[in-house]
Amino acid sequence: MNRSRSSADMPSSPKQRPRLAFEIALVLIAKVIALTLIWQAWFHDPETRRLDGERVGAAVYSLPPTSPK
């Protein structure tokens, strides 16, 4: 059987493997940076942003009622 080979069947050349490793490392570094920024923005020091029932009630009920025009 003579089957035509696709690029998926062919082994990658040795020159492409270091580039692939570099690209994977670059993507992983970018993800770590993004996760660090997300953590810093939303999850860093959650104790100061903790709301109890009194604070939520004060925030909800302190708003002036809106009048329809």
Side-chain angles (χ1 to χ4, degrees):
M1 280 187 173
N2 232 355
R3 192 178 93 156
S4 64
R5 299 178 85 185
S6 67
S7 62
D9 294 334
M10 294 182 190
S12 62
S13 67
K15 288 184 179 181
Q16 289 179 348
R17 288 186 187 194
R19 180 179 171 143
L20 178 63
F22 175 74
E23 289 178 4
I24 290 173
L26 193 64
V27 168
L28 288 175
I29 290 170
K31 286 184 177 186
V32 167
I33 291 171
L35 286 173
T36 302
L37 291 174
I38 289 170
W39 183 81
Q40 287 288 330
W42 287 292
F43 300 108
H44 181 71
D45 199 18
E47 295 295 323
T48 59
R49 297 187 185 131
R50 184 172 294 172
L51 293 176
D52 58 359
E54 291 178 13
R55 286 185 182 177
V56 172
V60 170
Y61 294 116
S62 68
L63 295 176
T66 59
S67 59
K69 288 185 177 184

